[in-house]
Amino acid sequence: MGHAVSSQNVDIRRVAAEAGVSIATVSRVLNHPERVSPETRARVLETAARLGYRPNPNGKRLRKGRAETVGLVIPSPQGRFADSFFLELLAGLGEGLSEAGLDLLVATCPPGSDELACYRRLVEGKRVDGLVVARTRRYDERIAYLLERGVPFVAHGRSDLIAEPYPYLDLDGREGFYRAARRLLQLGHRAIAYIGAPREFNFALHRLEGYRQALLEAGVPLRVDWILEGDLSEESGYRLAGGLLEAPEPPTAILCANDLMALGVLRALRERGLRAGREVSVIGYDDIPQAQYADPPLTTLHQPFREAGRRLVEMLLARLGGAPVAGLQEVWVPELVLRGSDGPPQGERRFP
Amino acid sequence: MGHAVSSQNVDIRRVAAEAGVSIATVSRVLNHPERVSPETRARVLETAARLGYRPNPNGKRLRKGRAETVGLVIPSPQGRFADSFFLELLAGLGEGLSEAGLDLLVATCPPGSDELACYRRLVEGKRVDGLVVARTRRYDERIAYLLERGVPFVAHGRSDLIAEPYPYLDLDGREGFYRAARRLLQLGHRAIAYIGAPREFNFALHRLEGYRQALLEAGVPLRVDWILEGDLSEESGYRLAGGLLEAPEPPTAILCANDLMALGVLRALRERGLRAGREVSVIGYDDIPQAQYADPPLTTLHQPFREAGRRLVEMLLARLGGAPVAGLQEVWVPELVLRGSDGPPQGERRFP
DNA sequence: CCGGCTTGTGTAAACGTTTTCCACATCATA
DNA sequence: TATGATGTGGAAAACGTTTACACAAGCCGG
């Protein structure tokens, strides 16, 4: 009945005194309830609740030698931070972690500073028990570092050039773009260009590979002047699309390694009076929020980032619990969501 | 010369022994360098560096009774998380905090759960020394709670219904929309509609007030059927714009309380074959990344969230240092950035 | 030449937990 | 009734810091 007390500074000692037991017992009630008799357990729980007792995390952390915290480093680029990926991931991570009673430590890495230093600060400063590594690169020095130090972590995305096994959850860009390209081929397209991502990123090669495979299977020869590399920005999509469209023989479809570049392509089309989904088909990748408000709404590959975040937490928890890496490698297939930016090619069209 | 040692478990005792001093001296060297003689200081620093010593934050936190951590609670709505606001803010906070040697604890608050519980967990669980409160509401129970408990915090945005003073940094929505409305008036518009935000949010009233003031000063009577309230989503902008445009006497300009709704308005216009910036002018608020890629690019009010984040850290630091609230209340004026979605009204136009 | 002040360092006591012993009942069993 | 086995709870030792206090040495002015 007693309502909450001014829980200003109630520690385990206070609870113990109030309940007429030793602090060890209080601790046991909270951490190993089965090792204490039901009567005392009930009594302790009651007084703890009455006093509003919350174990001080720092005492706990110090004693247990753990941080009870998981880290995430977000690179924060110079300009606008258009990247909702991290926010979605964050939501998933946060939900999963709070259920597990762990804290989430977020460090942002300013553009200039080297990223690895941020990781070092968290790891060597014992601020986290484990980490989530996002946006993996082809050879990812962060992963190499964490493996070398034996720090538990999970990666969102693979890093193909790292031999040693580690836990990851990846979205299958190869399969995704294989499906996207097949969609275009089935619509009748044969002149399909590809605007890719910097080779540094691991996913860049996977996506390109999906595109190649689909075309080769369909007997469509690859054209080297239709395989471009952007920097993932809207601007670069716009620029590269301009080049493609001005060429004597422009493609009838353009596949983009991310939505931002696809939006740039849409802009380039609009400027030339071309309609996406009619004269030229465009497919993106990521399904960022803007995609559905684009004109026309962008056909793209959806990646369930929030769900990925939740799953990553489960995997990390397993890893922290000592589970072997073997069972902790997953690849999900992104879903092709059809909107308005793709359609059958229009045979008669010709533009300079 | 000696290169880094296997810094696996080097604690202050180890450094002390190696340097031939007591642990107190090592601690002093690190925390109060001036209280130790230059010679020993140099010797200790050298050995600490050689051993790769990093003070264990948990020991420190326990002893000092502080968490050395600042908290931020991000509400994570159900659907897509289109809100780059938090990411920008996060970047600013992260940069500022890491300079100050503080950690940033991010908690995400799932839609169902009550937000206050998240704050309570952080505060009463002694997980943070201070908090940043974003997206303040007209009467903000989070602020009331923090004030009541005497927890240091800074708010991004004001909460008008709270009497007691507290530190905040706000963007002046009144002034912002006053300027936006004046811009439209100067272009010659007289039929200006307003799509606002839920009254629950504090900024909603400020923005509306700016709109009203500008119109009243210009002698333009307010029309109640032109003052609408959306829910900040693209969808609601689209829907409300539809209503405005179908009316017998549609407005020539629409002011929106955020960019997302403005994008919805643009979509509604496109569907009706109307061009934003020609037949109807549209101005948004926030300058989200999508704004510059919209068709046409959206004229809007820019809010420097990252800079705000940095400043908020400074303010919070001052507050943690015991500075009085008085000097910690700032209001910045957002900047009107002209893009393509506004223009002079076209007198002869009429549509059903 | 001595009391007091300054300067530099060491000793030891916290900070609030968890956990490893141990001690003590209680109880069934021989 | 002695003897383990079992269950329960207490005492105390960590975990790695910071800091109040004590102490020794050196310096100063009287």
Side-chain angles (χ1 to χ4, degrees), chain A residues 258-281:
Chain A
N258 76 337
D259 281 353
L260 231 41
M261 293 197 296
L263 293 179
V265 173
L266 292 189
R267 181 156 64 97
L269 289 174
R270 264 198 309 271
E271 274 191 8
R272 287 169 176 76
L274 300 170
R275 287 161 304 171
R278 309 291 295 274
E279 287 86 359
V280 178
S281 287

Side-chain angles (χ1 to χ4, degrees), chain A residues 106-327:
Chain A
V106 172
T108 62
C109 182
S113 72
D114 77 312
E115 211 173 348
L116 209 49
C118 295
Y119 282 83
R120 252 200 282 271
R121 208 182 80 88
L122 297 188
V123 168
E124 293 169 29
K126 292 189 176 41
R127 301 179 121 72
V128 298
D129 299 323
L131 286 153
V132 175
V133 178
R135 282 282 153 76
T136 50
R137 290 184 271 273
R138 211 154 101 77
Y139 175 80
D140 204 303
E141 53 175 8
R142 303 169 299 174
I143 291 183
Y145 165 73
L146 294 173
L147 280 172
E148 185 206 325
R149 287 201 61 106
V151 181
F153 73 98
V154 290
H156 181 271
R158 281 164 288 177
S159 178
D160 286 347
L161 262 37
I162 295 212
E164 197 174 337
Y166 59 91
Y168 61 76
L169 167 56
D170 199 5
L171 277 297
D172 192 344
R174 202 196 51 73
E175 179 66 21
F177 259 7
Y178 176 74
R179 295 184 182 186
R182 282 188 55 98
R183 156 82 181 169
L184 292 172
L185 289 164
Q186 275 165 2
L187 285 170
H189 291 274
R190 286 300 174 270
I192 306 175
Y194 177 82
I195 298 184
R199 290 163 187 280
E200 158 200 17
F201 290 111
N202 207 45
F203 64 75
L205 280 84
H206 294 161
R207 295 181 193 178
L208 177 57
E209 188 47 36
Y211 161 82
R212 293 173 102 141
Q213 189 181 342
L215 264 62
L216 290 178
E217 276 184 21
V220 176
L222 299 173
R223 284 182 50 164
V224 63
D225 56 326
W226 281 353
I227 298 183
L228 307 176
E229 182 176 315
D231 65 3
L232 296 175
S233 71
E234 199 266 356
E235 177 59 28
S236 87
Y238 172 77
R239 189 168 30 78
L240 293 172
L244 285 171
L245 298 172
E246 302 299 342
E249 205 180 348
T252 65
I254 304 178
L255 216 49
C256 299
N258 76 337
D259 281 353
L260 231 41
M261 293 197 296
L263 293 179
V265 173
L266 292 189
R267 181 156 64 97
L269 289 174
R270 264 198 309 271
E271 274 191 8
R272 287 169 176 76
L274 300 170
R275 287 161 304 171
R278 309 291 295 274
E279 287 86 359
V280 178
S281 287
V282 180
I283 296 186
Y285 198 113
D286 278 348
D287 195 15
I288 60 178
Q290 292 102 301
Q292 49 187 316
Y293 307 137
D295 177 35
L298 189 64
T299 290
T300 186
L301 288 149
H302 178 74
Q303 316 215 62
F305 291 136
R306 189 180 300 208
E307 292 72 16
R310 293 194 73 110
R311 179 70 187 127
L312 282 168
V313 170
E314 293 174 14
M315 294 169 68
L316 184 54
L317 253 38
R319 193 78 188 106
L320 288 170
V325 174

Side-chain angles (χ1 to χ4, degrees), chain B residues 233-286:
Chain B
S233 71
E234 198 265 358
E235 177 59 28
S236 87
Y238 171 78
R239 189 167 30 78
L240 292 172
L244 285 171
L245 297 172
E246 301 300 341
E249 204 180 346
T252 65
I254 304 178
L255 215 50
C256 300
N258 76 336
D259 281 354
L260 230 40
M261 293 197 296
L263 293 180
V265 173
L266 292 189
R267 181 154 66 95
L269 289 174
R270 262 199 309 273
E271 272 191 9
R272 289 169 175 75
L274 300 171
R275 289 160 303 172
R278 310 292 295 274
E279 288 87 358
V280 177
S281 287
V282 179
I283 296 186
Y285 198 111
D286 278 349

